Amino acid sequence: MAQDSLHRYLFDGVSVRGELVQLSDTYQQLTSGKEYPAPVKKMLGELLVATSLLTATLKFEGSITVQIQGDGPVSLIVINGNHDQVMRGTARWQDELPESASLHDLVGKGQMVITIEPEKGERYQGIVGLEGETLEACLEDYFARSEQLKTRLWLRTGEFEGSAKAAGMLLQVLPGDENKEDDFDHLAQLTDTVKNEELFSLDAQDVLYRLYHQENVNVYEPKNVT
């Protein structure tokens, strides 16, 4: 399968957009520079996937930086990505970390800062408290507060056939069609069924067919992620 690519798609007759990103080399390169503890590596992978999905929503040339700061053992974790899907990132931590550590165990009291920097135009920064139990929930809260757009994210990391993998999906109601919640909820329920093994091993087209074979889905040309 083609690795390290992002696919954008739209549903015919339904005001919902989607994205699917599958990362292998990028995730491995990002985490190979340091001996990251397993929970930090997992969190870096989830934030890498999330930032790639967010960067794909840009309608201009520029970049997005997503950083999480806190008073816990992981004081900083940050990923930056641009409109060409070139990603970079790092994390800062101390102490031994149990593999089962949750987001709040790792970060403690903290916040997520999302900075959008167009190459032409004004810089924008949004700050949201880490009130959700997961990174997905915190980002969905950010979209609900700052964009007023119903959004769901699925962020997955793990091992497949001996290699570290990261992948994820995003669904979002199109601006101006926020009242189409039934359509969105139906598609979100379908997406909830996606399995890690499918995201890590199948081509994007096969994943989308398995999830949405009763829908008409228009898939755009993929974009490489590095």
Side-chain angles (χ1 to χ4, degrees):
M1 63 175 290
Q3 288 291 338
D4 295 70
S5 56
L6 182 136
H7 299 254
R8 295 166 54 246
Y9 55 96
L10 284 172
F11 297 90
D12 270 355
V14 180
S15 299
V16 177
R17 59 182 293 275
E19 297 171 11
L20 187 160
V21 67
Q22 295 167 303
L23 305 172
S24 180
D25 289 348
T26 305
Y27 181 34
Q28 291 163 26
Q29 290 174 23
L30 187 81
T31 54
S32 65
K34 296 181 184 178
E35 287 292 326
Y36 288 110
V40 177
K41 185 175 178 179
K42 179 178 186 293
M43 197 171 164
L44 266 170
E46 290 182 352
L47 200 64
L48 172 66
V49 169
T51 306
S52 175
L53 293 168
L54 294 183
T55 303
T57 69
L58 289 176
K59 295 179 173 62
F60 51 79
E61 293 186 353
S63 68
I64 289 181
T65 302
V66 184
Q67 64 179 8
I68 295 174
Q69 309 161 334
D71 62 5
V74 179
S75 58
L76 174 71
I77 187 161
V78 57
I79 300 285
N80 169 269
N82 67 15
H83 60 277
D84 286 325
Q85 290 292 318
V86 178
M87 318 297 294
R88 58 198 178 118
T90 191
R92 189 180 301 139
W93 79 97
Q94 59 186 7
D95 304 330
E96 292 291 318
L97 301 171
E99 290 210 18
S100 59
S102 69
L103 174 65
H104 293 288
D105 293 336
L106 295 172
V107 179
K109 288 185 179 178
Q111 61 185 13
M112 178 166 56
V113 181
I114 298 179
T115 306
I116 299 173
E117 297 186 81
E119 291 182 1
K120 297 178 181 178
E122 292 188 14
R123 179 173 178 266
Y124 165 81
Q125 192 168 76
I127 300 175
V128 63
L130 299 176
E131 296 175 13
E133 292 298 314
T134 63
L135 183 57
E136 294 159 330
C138 295
L139 283 161
E140 288 164 7
D141 184 47
Y142 164 79
F143 274 105
R145 293 181 186 216
S146 68
E147 309 284 338
Q148 284 85 50
L149 290 175
K150 196 160 187 177
T151 306
R152 285 284 311 276
L153 292 103
W154 293 262
L155 310 175
R156 307 286 175 82
T157 63
E159 293 262 331
F160 184 78
E161 295 183 344
S163 296
K165 305 282 186 180
M169 301 183 72
L170 175 147
L171 287 183
Q172 189 174 70
V173 172
L174 293 173
D177 287 299
E178 292 85 346
N179 60 341
K180 301 290 183 66
E181 290 198 0
D182 288 348
D183 290 337
F184 180 89
D185 292 342
H186 167 66
L187 294 169
Q189 287 172 6
L190 295 177
T191 313
D192 274 332
T193 66
V194 72
K195 298 178 176 64
N196 284 16
E197 185 176 332
E198 294 172 324
L199 285 171
F200 296 159
S201 67
L202 297 179
D203 285 331
Q205 294 279 6
D206 292 333
V207 175
L208 296 177
Y209 179 77
R210 286 194 180 196
L211 292 175
Y212 311 125
H213 56 271
Q214 294 183 321
E215 314 292 330
N216 290 321
V217 185
N218 297 311
V219 184
Y220 295 95
E221 280 293 312
K223 195 149 194 175
N224 291 332
V225 186
T226 58

